Amino acid sequence: MNQTENTTVQEKKYTFPTDFWWGTAASATQMEGAAYEGGKGPNIWDHWYEQEPNRFFDGVGATVASDFYHQYKEDIALMKELGHNSFRMSISWSRLFPTGEGEVNPQAVDFYNRVIDELIQSGIEPFVNLYHFDMPLALQHQGGWESRDVVARYVDYAKVCFELFGDRVTKWFTHNEPIVPVEGGYLYDFHYPNVVDFKRAVQVAYHSILSSALAIEAYKESGQAGKIGIILNLTPSYPRSRNEADLHAAHLADILFNRSFLDPSVLGTFPSELIDLLKEQDALPLMEELDRQKIATHTVDLLGINYYQPRRIKVKEHLPNPKAPFMPEHLFDYYEMPGRKMNRHRGWEIYEKGVYDILTNLRENYGNIECFISENGMGVEGEERYRDADGSIQDDYRIDFIAEHLKWVHLAMEEGSNVKGYHLWTFMDNWSWSNAYKNRYGFVGVDLTSQGRTVKKSGHWFKRVIEEKGFVR
């Protein structure tokens, strides 16, 4: 058998269901722009950029972003051209309520109505997320997620969204990656308000979980017939070895970074070991009498899974300074596996099987909840060097990344996992928090000077995958 014949024999067709959700994801702050237009109030990102522009790559803020606010019709037409049947977006809380509460901004209502209608008319189902890191500044001044009153304002905001858009939107999400504002804003100093305090971080996490349950309760009480869920960045924790100490360290990392949100969102409970750990650190959050009942009763219908990289863990090898503020890393060390595959632009390991392990865990331990891959993607710096003579980015590395992850999704489906779709992060290159435009993620390239759009090779490939309901690999 020659080499060509051998390659052909080894190829396999990965076929996905006709109703599989194919699309992309984005967020308001990262794509809309128009930060000071249309009656929008400032959020924490607008404020932080004004205060410390040096904290953002190349000093670029989200003021313009990818200009979706002005170019949404052209962008949605391009989504349609590339075969999308779904698109996950978020609503800007401070666009709808400039101070986070009070009177609704009619210009925002008009904008989101036009976007939702344009998507539906293009055959693209809108998946709408309520909170994606963008606390209205006025509410941050009231304590942000540390404040019980802000939880109540969030529920008011959610109710208005359901009333305004729920006649057309049937896929809702309460939060995207709620642990990230906890980590970034209250532990590791990469989001505003740049606090380093484990106990305050726990309160923020708890109120985020409670707000999700209360928003789910409000949605169910609205009588609308859709589904409501949450989007979690689930990062499997792999031990360095089968040694008992390494296994326990990975278990603790999993409890802190995955199960802290996954268990209450899906099962309505908190891991007992997490509660014990918080007690040991005198970090239990302030709770009210009926909270646990609300969380237990109002779990998600649908789970979005954001997966980018694994977490590799080993036992803590050196005791932390007793005067240092407590951090999760006081319980374990990170471990760099020799020979790991890397996206060196982003500094992240590429481990495609991780998505299969997540789906298997959900099938075996979380009732096989209906789920989808709500983010997966590859950020690359300096993509211009891959532009061909016709002006298209030849991003074969992104095609390989997506295909290899989809192969593991397909295997999980064959084994019975209840996974219904795949959304790439993101549709077009967009602004990425403190990284700004350092790494590009989109199927569509964006020229930051002209705001022109150019479809990359991966975008054309993804269109064929959708049309053919799969791919050969």
Side-chain angles (χ1 to χ4, degrees), residues 172-226:
W172 290 96
F173 300 91
T174 58
H175 289 260
N176 173 80
E177 299 185 348
I179 200 170
V180 171
V182 176
E183 294 173 326
Y186 293 87
L187 284 178
Y188 305 120
D189 186 29
F190 62 86
H191 280 200
Y192 193 81
N194 313 107
V195 172
V196 179
D197 189 311
F198 184 74
K199 188 166 186 174
R200 291 172 68 181
V202 170
Q203 190 67 58
V204 167
Y206 178 72
H207 277 159
S208 301
I209 292 164
L210 177 64
S211 73
S212 179
L214 295 177
I216 291 169
E217 179 183 42
Y219 185 71
K220 300 300 183 181
E221 290 178 349
S222 75
Q224 294 182 3

Side-chain angles (χ1 to χ4, degrees), residues 10-67:
Q10 291 179 345
E11 285 185 340
K12 176 180 177 180
K13 175 68 182 289
Y14 295 88
T15 303
F16 291 82
T18 302
D19 58 355
F20 200 68
W21 302 329
W22 294 108
T24 51
S27 81
T29 296
Q30 293 177 268
M31 71 170 181
E32 282 180 6
Y36 301 101
E37 297 179 46
K40 177 184 168 294
N43 64 33
I44 56 176
W45 293 95
D46 303 316
H47 174 71
W48 190 22
Y49 178 66
E50 289 175 357
Q51 298 299 308
E52 295 186 283
N54 55 289
R55 297 287 297 264
F56 300 83
F57 184 76
D58 279 348
V60 176
T63 307
V64 177
S66 302
D67 200 37

Side-chain angles (χ1 to χ4, degrees), residues 285-298:
L286 295 174
M287 296 179 283
E288 293 188 2
E289 185 177 352
L290 296 178
D291 288 358
R292 295 287 284 272
Q293 179 184 333
K294 295 284 189 183
I295 292 168
T297 306
H298 303 296

Side-chain angles (χ1 to χ4, degrees), residues 244-284:
E244 183 178 343
D246 283 342
L247 290 168
H248 182 64
H251 176 66
L252 289 175
D254 184 54
I255 287 173
L256 282 164
F257 292 112
N258 292 319
R259 293 183 57 194
S260 55
F261 280 90
L262 181 59
D263 284 27
S265 296
V266 178
L267 304 177
T269 60
F270 292 94
S272 59
E273 289 163 284
L274 177 63
I275 296 171
D276 292 342
L277 172 62
L278 297 181
K279 285 180 180 176
E280 289 172 13
Q281 298 302 322
D282 189 28
L284 283 171

Side-chain angles (χ1 to χ4, degrees), residues 20-24 84-88 123-127 423:
F20 200 68
W21 302 329
W22 294 108
T24 51
H84 285 45
N85 62 29
S86 48
F87 175 65
R88 198 248 298 179
I124 301 168
E125 183 177 3
F127 288 29
H423 283 186

Side-chain angles (χ1 to χ4, degrees), residues 85-349:
N85 62 29
S86 48
F87 175 65
R88 198 248 298 179
M89 55 179 278
S90 75
I91 291 173
S92 166
W93 187 351
S94 66
R95 190 178 293 284
L96 197 62
F97 289 95
T99 63
E101 57 187 333
E103 296 296 317
V104 176
N105 173 17
Q107 294 179 78
V109 176
D110 177 61
F111 170 67
Y112 289 117
N113 273 326
R114 285 185 280 118
V115 169
I116 290 167
D117 289 345
E118 192 75 22
L119 286 165
I120 292 171
Q121 289 167 14
S122 300
I124 301 168
E125 183 177 3
F127 288 29
V128 177
N129 175 42
L130 295 170
Y131 188 78
H132 197 127
F133 308 168
D134 53 353
M135 177 67 66
L137 182 61
L139 294 185
Q140 185 63 49
H141 288 330
Q142 296 178 34
W145 290 117
E146 292 183 77
S147 166
R148 185 88 184 197
D149 289 340
V150 168
V151 172
R153 299 293 77 75
Y154 168 82
V155 177
D156 293 340
Y157 154 65
K159 288 178 179 177
V160 169
C161 289
F162 302 149
E163 292 166 6
L164 290 170
F165 313 119
D167 58 328
R168 288 152 292 158
V169 175
T170 60
K171 303 285 193 313
W172 290 96
F173 300 91
T174 58
H175 289 260
N176 173 80
E177 299 185 348
I179 200 170
V180 171
V182 176
E183 294 173 326
Y186 293 87
L187 284 178
Y188 305 120
D189 186 29
F190 62 86
H191 280 200
Y192 193 81
N194 313 107
V195 172
V196 179
D197 189 311
F198 184 74
K199 188 166 186 174
R200 291 172 68 181
V202 170
Q203 190 67 58
V204 167
Y206 178 72
H207 277 159
S208 301
I209 292 164
L210 177 64
S211 73
S212 179
L214 295 177
I216 291 169
E217 179 183 42
Y219 185 71
K220 300 300 183 181
E221 290 178 349
S222 75
Q224 294 182 3
K227 295 178 179 179
I228 185 165
I230 195 168
I231 297 157
L232 301 179
N233 51 318
L234 298 177
T235 305
S237 295
Y238 296 104
R240 172 183 57 178
S241 72
R242 305 311 295 175
N243 177 275
E244 183 178 343
D246 283 342
L247 290 168
H248 182 64
H251 176 66
L252 289 175
D254 184 54
I255 287 173
L256 282 164
F257 292 112
N258 292 319
R259 293 183 57 194
S260 55
F261 280 90
L262 181 59
D263 284 27
S265 296
V266 178
L267 304 177
T269 60
F270 292 94
S272 59
E273 289 163 284
L274 177 63
I275 296 171
D276 292 342
L277 172 62
L278 297 181
K279 285 180 180 176
E280 289 172 13
Q281 298 302 322
D282 189 28
L284 283 171
L286 295 174
M287 296 179 283
E288 293 188 2
E289 185 177 352
L290 296 178
D291 288 358
R292 295 287 284 272
Q293 179 184 333
K294 295 284 189 183
I295 292 168
T297 306
H298 303 296
T299 53
V300 299
D301 304 320
L302 175 64
L303 180 66
I305 301 161
N306 293 357
Y307 174 68
Y308 290 95
Q309 61 175 331
R311 180 180 285 109
R312 299 196 183 272
I313 300 295
K314 63 182 179 180
V315 66
K316 190 73 186 175
E317 295 183 346
H318 301 285
L319 292 177
N321 187 325
K323 294 182 179 180
F326 179 81
M327 288 287 187
E329 290 77 12
H330 286 194
L331 304 174
F332 53 81
D333 284 336
Y334 293 109
Y335 166 67
E336 290 191 4
M337 184 182 73
R340 60 186 181 151
K341 186 192 301 186
M342 288 290 293
N343 172 7
R344 300 194 183 281
H345 303 279
R346 190 64 180 85
W348 287 352
E349 181 182 348

